[in-house]
Amino acid sequence: MPAANETVWAIDIGNSSLKALRLSTEQGALEVVGFDNIRHGKILSGSGVTDVEKDELVAFSLRQFVNKHDLNTDAVVVSVPSQNSFARFVSLPPVEPKRIPEIVKFEAVQQIPFDINDVQWDWQRMSDEESAELKVGIFAIKNDIVNTAIEHFSREDIQVSHVQMAPMALYNYIRHDRPDLVNSDNLATVVLNVGAEITDLVVCTKSAVWQRCILLGGNSFTKAIADTFHLNFEKAEKLKRTAPVSKYARQIFQAMRPVFTELASEVQRSLGFYKSSNPNTRVGRVVAMGGGTKLRGLLKYLQQTLQMPVERPDAFKHLAISSGVPAAKFGENVCDFGVVYGLGLQGLGIAGIESNLLPRSMVRSMAWASKSRWFLGAACILLAASAMVLGKALFDSISHTKNNPTRMRIQKIINDDKQARRNLNDAETRIARYQDAIDREFEFLKHREVVPLLHETILAALPNAENNPSQANLYTAFARGDVEAVTQTPRNRRKQIFVTDMSVRFVEDLAAAAFEDTGVLQVGRDGRRLGRVDEEGVRIRPGRPRSGSSAPEQPYTRMSAVEAAKRASEAPDVGFVVTISGYSPYESIQALLDPPNVGGRPDQWGLVTRLMHLPDVNSPFELYEKTNPKHFIPDVGDVETGSKTTLKMPMGIGEESAKPFGTAVPGYRRDSVVLVDPMTKEIISTVPKLRSNGEPLLVRGKQVFQVNDHWFVLKMKFTWQATQSGADVETALMGSSGSSLNPAR
């Protein structure tokens, strides 16, 4: 678990020296505030060194360290060698968080190659809390190794708070100091720590570690020299250290060459095994640490053999050096401090792996010892509190008897308060009932803006300055009534649509709803329009359904508006039946209504095309089944009058000319009329073409007519998203007013 200390000592006892590093975060940043590197009197793994002598050498080095530094206020984190240690990363099945420890323990029994009672083990979750994969790391080391390491410190009265394996400390170092090298699970970095007796090979990725202990180290080179030159271990060690400047340098390196080869082969074999077990991970770099890397030519030989970059750090990138620490001397020991750097990070609670292999009995003892003073303080506080409570009880007993009249008055006030609260609750209940009644009375006003919104939506799809900016001057002139400016554009080139009639009817089932029968326009012999009749010659009134249809739907009344809002969420086909009619002076009425093949060119859309794209502007309406002739009926024709007796043309187109047309055209009744534009007084109905002498133009004996304006009738249906809130409808209404319904804008 993360430590609460801001300063920590990290100690690593190796075969040749004791290495210690004091790290601190008291100034807000991680920095070195002390270090030491005490060489043993002899190399512990040297020839002729007994176990008793090893213990004495370690004790002497530790005593030197304790005499030089004060450890009483700092946490102490120590390392244990990687021999007989175990680290494995496994993926667990998805389980409840409270069952994770149970599953991990089961996996530990299966994975650890020793009896679970003979090891100290710990585990840590490696995957994120939000990750779907539950990945944990299991770490273990034999009890006798941990106990031996702790015993050295106990003899010197050094209280150890954390015990960590050296390979995991190296992983913590590389992850913190070189995060750029371990930011992926597909690209690994190898930390190679060459010690005196062993070499730790640690393959590091973003969320996993793989370790192997190679039983070769600096002593292997020393033994090779001793065997070749028949020297004792101490003289061979001295010869190895002075080899670069010795006149026998070539012979010395030749003696060590087999060890070079064997070490490189072991590293190569280990990486080959790792790659075969992790085919999706590529090894990209080797970071060499430890005193053995100071041997001349070793790094170059490894780089040539492994065919990948091998580097030895000469400084730590994310570790500041305090002003009281000699930077030059610290720099000489950087390659030896990889393990203690990682240990210090764990002691400060900022490490990637925080497993603690300290025996559980010692952890509990430390916890109780740290809490004993709190228990004593709590006992004193409890005793004092008990005395105060007893005295307070005696005082309250006397006061209770004395203040009986006051209590009675207070109780009366409390009873009055309770009665007032009951009266308030009754009043609030009545208010709620009255509010419900008020809401029911005003319920019919809900959605009152829907029909105006539909009108605005349809009218916004007509040609205007937004939809057809090329004729913006025409629309501006028309709006201000400037006839001269309007007529500057030839009539048959004006992209205008004049709506003469629009009917909107709410229905609860669009699929079954019928359109109103518009019938035909009855025209007198003089060309005057008399009204509309149906197929049976009966005069049509507005709102009458088509002949042969079912009973007419209810109009959009107070009841239907309330019911519509309630039922719209249940019926998918609630909406409106719309009939819109009018005329246009443009030469191609089809191009203004629904031109073909213009889906991706909004500047060429027509009225119907824009209505088909209502969902693109978040409108609550949507054109219903435009391709089905039962639900979408377009009708167009030429504006006509004169001698024909009946027309399909809708009512309200133009106005009848005040001057009879027949007076100027032979063959027409003298009182015949034509239709003219109400604003410009231009003729909009179909009229005979005349010769220059005023006589009708005949082709093959038939009279030729000049077609001017065109009429249209569109019968269509719109679905309505009645579930929109009133604010949404208001927003949609404001957004559609004057809008071009052009998503390209």
Side-chain angles (χ1 to χ4, degrees), residues 525-737:
R525 294 185 61 84
D526 59 355
R528 299 185 184 277
R529 294 170 286 187
L530 303 178
R532 290 189 173 276
V533 297
D534 61 13
E535 297 173 356
E536 300 175 356
V538 179
R539 182 64 56 86
I540 291 178
R541 298 183 180 88
R544 177 178 176 182
R546 189 189 307 178
S547 300
S549 68
S550 59
E553 294 84 0
Q554 293 295 327
Y556 190 75
T557 63
R558 167 181 170 178
M559 180 182 68
S560 62
V562 175
E563 292 299 321
K566 179 179 180 182
R567 300 180 186 178
S569 60
E570 303 174 359
D573 293 337
V574 170
F576 297 90
V577 176
V578 177
T579 300
I580 178 173
S581 59
Y583 67 99
S584 171
Y586 193 62
E587 58 189 0
S588 174
I589 186 66
Q590 184 66 29
L592 291 187
L593 295 179
D594 191 13
N597 303 320
V598 294
R601 291 170 290 174
D603 58 320
Q604 298 185 25
W605 286 354
L607 169 62
V608 177
T609 322
R610 295 188 183 92
L611 294 177
M612 290 172 63
H613 287 79
L614 288 179
D616 297 343
V617 293
N618 298 323
S619 173
F621 307 105
E622 184 175 355
L623 191 62
Y624 180 74
E625 295 191 15
K626 186 251 182 183
T627 58
N628 191 335
K630 291 178 58 178
H631 307 304
F632 181 81
I633 303 175
D635 201 1
V636 297
D638 303 333
V639 175
E640 299 176 329
T641 184
S643 60
K644 296 189 177 182
T645 58
T646 60
L647 297 170
K648 294 172 63 179
M649 186 174 72
M651 291 285 287
I653 295 178
E655 63 181 17
E656 296 178 351
S657 174
K659 179 180 179 181
F661 182 68
T663 57
V665 181
Y668 268 68
R669 291 172 53 92
R670 295 183 60 82
D671 55 354
S672 295
V673 297
V674 294
L675 299 179
V676 297
D677 188 305
M679 179 179 177
T680 64
K681 304 307 178 182
E682 297 167 300
I683 297 177
I684 65 175
S685 58
T686 301
V687 296
K689 286 189 175 181
L690 303 179
R691 298 180 183 274
S692 58
N693 58 5
E695 293 293 326
L697 177 63
L698 301 178
V699 176
R700 296 181 181 178
K702 293 185 178 180
Q703 198 169 23
V704 180
F705 291 89
Q706 170 66 43
V707 176
N708 292 310
D709 289 18
H710 310 275
W711 58 266
F712 69 91
V713 176
L714 296 177
K715 299 179 180 180
M716 46 194 170
K717 301 177 181 179
F718 291 88
T719 59
W720 172 42
Q721 298 295 329
T723 56
Q724 285 188 316
S725 66
D728 293 337
V729 172
E730 181 180 355
T731 301
L733 178 59
M734 292 174 64
S736 67
S737 179

Side-chain angles (χ1 to χ4, degrees), residues 49-351:
V49 180
T50 64
D51 291 341
V52 175
E53 190 175 3
K54 288 180 182 178
D55 289 343
E56 291 178 353
L57 291 170
V58 171
F60 183 76
S61 297
L62 264 177
R63 199 167 300 117
Q64 281 185 279
F65 175 71
V66 172
N67 291 335
K68 291 169 62 177
H69 306 283
D70 182 12
L71 276 67
N72 293 329
T73 60
D74 300 331
V76 176
V77 186
V78 301
S79 69
V80 289
S82 59
Q83 296 101 315
N84 299 317
S85 66
F86 171 84
R88 184 68 55 84
F89 295 82
V90 296
S91 296
L92 302 182
V95 295
E96 297 178 1
K98 63 181 181 181
R99 291 198 59 205
I100 293 178
E102 176 187 348
I103 300 298
V104 171
K105 185 175 182 180
F106 175 80
E107 284 290 337
V109 173
Q110 302 298 317
Q111 298 285 346
I112 297 174
F114 313 111
D115 190 312
I116 196 69
N117 297 316
D118 294 338
V119 298
Q120 292 295 331
W121 71 281
D122 199 359
W123 67 279
Q124 177 177 327
R125 180 168 182 161
M126 303 300 295
S127 57
D128 297 333
E129 294 290 340
E130 298 79 11
S131 176
E133 182 183 19
L134 177 56
K135 192 172 184 179
V136 299
I138 300 174
F139 312 94
I141 194 164
K142 299 194 73 173
N143 288 331
D144 54 352
I145 297 177
V146 176
N147 293 334
T148 300
I150 297 298
E151 186 177 355
H152 294 308
F153 294 91
S154 299
R155 291 174 183 171
E156 303 301 326
D157 294 328
I158 300 175
Q159 189 175 38
V160 176
S161 60
H162 292 74
V163 175
Q164 182 58 275
M165 296 184 296
M168 300 305 110
L170 290 170
Y171 175 75
N172 288 337
Y173 146 69
I174 198 72
R175 181 173 176 179
H176 182 272
D177 201 65
R178 298 294 299 275
D180 56 306
L181 300 182
V182 286
N183 57 6
S184 171
D185 284 329
N186 297 322
L187 180 62
T189 295
V190 178
V191 181
L192 197 66
N193 189 49
V194 184
E197 189 68 21
I198 63 171
T199 296
D200 286 325
L201 185 147
V202 187
V203 183
C204 308
T205 63
K206 183 179 181 180
S207 61
V209 187
W210 185 85
Q211 69 172 79
R212 188 189 171 209
C213 177
I214 300 174
L215 300 179
L216 292 171
N219 290 351
S220 301
F221 296 96
T222 304
K223 290 176 183 177
I225 296 173
D227 293 341
T228 301
F229 295 101
H230 306 289
L231 302 173
N232 60 31
F233 190 87
E234 288 73 17
K235 290 183 178 180
E237 178 69 19
K238 183 177 180 180
L239 189 60
K240 181 184 73 173
R241 294 179 182 276
T242 59
V245 296
S246 173
K247 63 180 179 178
Y248 302 108
R250 181 179 178 185
Q251 290 85 345
I252 295 172
F253 282 106
Q254 190 67 29
M256 294 189 293
R257 185 176 182 83
V259 184
F260 274 84
T261 304
E262 187 178 1
L263 177 60
S265 299
E266 287 295 327
V267 173
Q268 203 166 27
R269 188 180 302 112
S270 301
L271 294 181
F273 178 80
Y274 175 80
K275 293 176 183 177
S276 64
S277 304
N278 301 269
N280 296 326
T281 303
R282 181 174 63 87
V283 177
R285 181 179 295 271
V286 175
V287 177
M289 306 289 293
T293 59
K294 298 177 182 178
L295 185 60
R296 183 176 178 180
L298 177 60
L299 299 184
K300 183 178 180 181
Y301 187 83
L302 288 174
Q303 182 166 308
Q304 292 175 348
T305 304
L306 300 178
Q307 294 297 306
M308 67 177 66
V310 178
E311 65 175 79
R312 182 178 64 190
D314 55 5
F316 293 131
K317 298 182 180 299
H318 292 83
L319 182 61
I321 301 177
S322 174
S323 57
V325 175
K329 187 175 181 180
F330 180 79
E332 295 175 0
N333 294 273
V334 163
C335 66
D336 294 324
F337 284 169
V339 173
V340 288
Y341 187 178
L343 294 176
L345 293 172
Q346 180 171 353
L348 294 172
I350 55 177

